[in-house]
Amino acid sequence: VETSSRSAWSFIRLLFVGGEALPLDVARRAPEVFSGATIHNQYGPTEVTVNTTSWELRPDDTTVPIGTAVAGTPLYVLDADLV
């Protein structure tokens, strides 16, 4: 994001971000580069590149949530005791 020009990425319509937590400051700067894109933050198991949740970023977000389960994927949120 920091080294790219807007015009180089103007054709992008959907941008999916995954792997590590997306910092809020990067999420807020991304539309400057990917001006025509809808940006989705995705989350999944660390061991593989599989996304199990998705969140469409909005300009007024104050955090970057992991989102909700993608279609056909059950999602369980556990506490420290795995309950």
Side-chain angles (χ1 to χ4, degrees), residues 12-63:
I12 300 292
R13 296 292 172 242
L14 291 172
L15 178 65
F16 296 94
V17 181
E20 294 293 329
L22 177 61
L24 184 58
D25 64 317
V26 173
R28 287 192 172 153
R29 288 193 321 264
E32 296 172 13
V33 175
F34 304 100
S35 59
T38 301
I39 303 170
H40 294 261
N41 184 49
Q42 297 189 320
Y43 179 82
T46 302
E47 295 80 10
V48 295
T49 305
V50 175
N51 296 308
T52 55
T53 69
S54 183
W55 177 260
E56 181 178 335
L57 296 172
R58 301 173 184 141
D60 59 343
D61 282 345
T62 57
T63 62

